[in-house]
């Protein structure tokens, strides 16, 4: 039996919503998803819930991109969004769009996902990046090695309905986190409170 290792981007999306809202100057934040991501609607639902947790006055505008993201980012920026959660990992067109908007004096900030998005590790990205959802693949690999060495497989319930077993990496088992790079201190405090709420189950995450 193989072990499926899943990272809880629903929790990450909620936290990204909190961070995005509290770093926005316009009160509007953007969500960019991938048209082929089956978890997209749930991720967006949790992002919206995180934004609402940050304050009722904030608004969310959302779009899904396919091969490139520049048109979608320009469109969302045109609707007033100034901080984006980028849940789309195909290429660096996100940075092309961010650079164009900076030149047009309508700068945006972004929250990304690592390690999926190679482009947010670049020097160019640091001008725009305020934080990122960190999927701890290193922890998952260590768990797999430990299990293999001791002759076990990881068989916790991931998705019982579809017969998927393995391990779901969450805030509770240090499998996922939201790391602040240049996010403001108010958002860092709120994200910290939200993490505690999710771990203690006071905050419900849509699955």
């Amino acid at each position: 039996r193989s072990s499926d290792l899943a990272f809880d981007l629903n929790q990450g999306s909620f936290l990204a919503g909190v961070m995005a809202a509290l770093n926005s100057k316009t009160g509007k934040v953007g969500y960019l998803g991938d048209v082929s991501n089956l978890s997209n609607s749930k991720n967006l639902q949790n992002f919206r819930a995180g934004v609402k947790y940050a304050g009722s006055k904030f608004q969310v505008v959302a779009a899904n991109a396919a091969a490139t993201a520049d048109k979608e980012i320009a469109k969302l920026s045109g609707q007033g969004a100034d901080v984006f959660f980028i849940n789309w990992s195909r290429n660096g067109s996100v940075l092309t769009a961010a650079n164009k908007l900076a030149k047009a004096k309508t700068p945006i900030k972004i929250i990304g996902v690592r390690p999926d998005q190679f482009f947010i590790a670049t020097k160019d990205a640091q001008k725009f990046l305020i934080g990122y959802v960190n999927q701890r693949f290193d922890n998952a690999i260590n768990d797999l090695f430990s299990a293999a060495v001791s002759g076990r497989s990881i068989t916790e319930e991931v998705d019982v309905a579809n017969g998927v077993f393995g391990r779901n990496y969450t805030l509770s088992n240090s499998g996922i986190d939201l790391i602040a790079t240049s996010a403001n201190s108010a958002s860092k405090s709120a994200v910290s409170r939200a993490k505690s709420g999710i771990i203690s189950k006071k905050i419900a995450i849509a699955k």
Side-chain angles (χ1 to χ4, degrees), residues 8-198:
D8 197 335
L9 261 177
N10 286 319
Q11 292 186 348
S13 298
F14 184 98
L15 296 174
V18 178
M19 181 179 278
L22 293 173
N23 282 276
S24 174
K25 294 188 170 81
T26 63
K28 279 192 179 175
V29 297
Y31 173 94
L32 183 76
D34 191 307
V35 289
S36 64
N37 177 6
L38 298 176
S39 306
N40 211 33
S41 59
K42 276 285 176 270
N43 292 166
L44 175 56
Q45 185 183 341
N46 285 297
F47 177 75
R48 286 185 190 280
V51 170
K52 192 176 175 187
Y53 172 89
S56 56
K57 66 180 188 289
F58 299 109
Q59 288 179 287
V60 176
V61 289
N64 294 324
T68 62
D70 24 0
K71 282 197 182 82
E72 287 75 14
I73 289 176
K75 181 181 149 197
L76 296 177
S77 168
Q79 291 170 358
D82 63 343
V83 183
F84 288 70
F85 176 41
I86 308 292
N87 194 9
W88 180 93
S89 307
R90 298 196 198 192
N91 55 53
S93 57
V94 169
L95 299 181
T96 311
N99 276 306
K100 272 188 196 158
L101 289 167
K103 279 187 185 138
K105 302 282 190 287
T106 49
I108 63 167
K109 297 291 184 188
I110 63 174
I111 299 164
V113 180
R114 291 189 75 169
D116 303 29
Q117 297 166 349
F118 65 90
F119 51 85
I120 64 167
T122 62
K123 193 177 172 191
D124 189 32
Q126 306 321 304
K127 296 179 291 199
F128 311 110
L129 194 71
I130 62 167
Y132 58 90
V133 175
N134 194 27
Q135 300 172 102
R136 295 294 304 272
F137 279 84
D138 53 334
N139 287 357
I141 289 164
N142 286 341
D143 287 350
L144 272 180
F145 273 121
S146 302
V149 166
S150 60
R152 293 177 298 113
S153 57
I154 298 174
T155 54
E156 294 163 17
E157 296 173 351
V158 173
D159 181 354
V160 181
N162 291 310
V164 179
F165 294 86
R167 180 163 294 161
N168 197 19
Y169 285 88
T170 65
L171 286 167
S172 299
N173 60 17
S174 305
I176 202 159
D177 200 0
L178 181 68
I179 309 293
T181 53
S182 62
N184 64 34
S185 56
S187 70
K188 288 196 272 195
S189 301
V191 164
S192 183
R193 286 194 302 276
K195 283 178 191 175
S196 301
I198 292 168

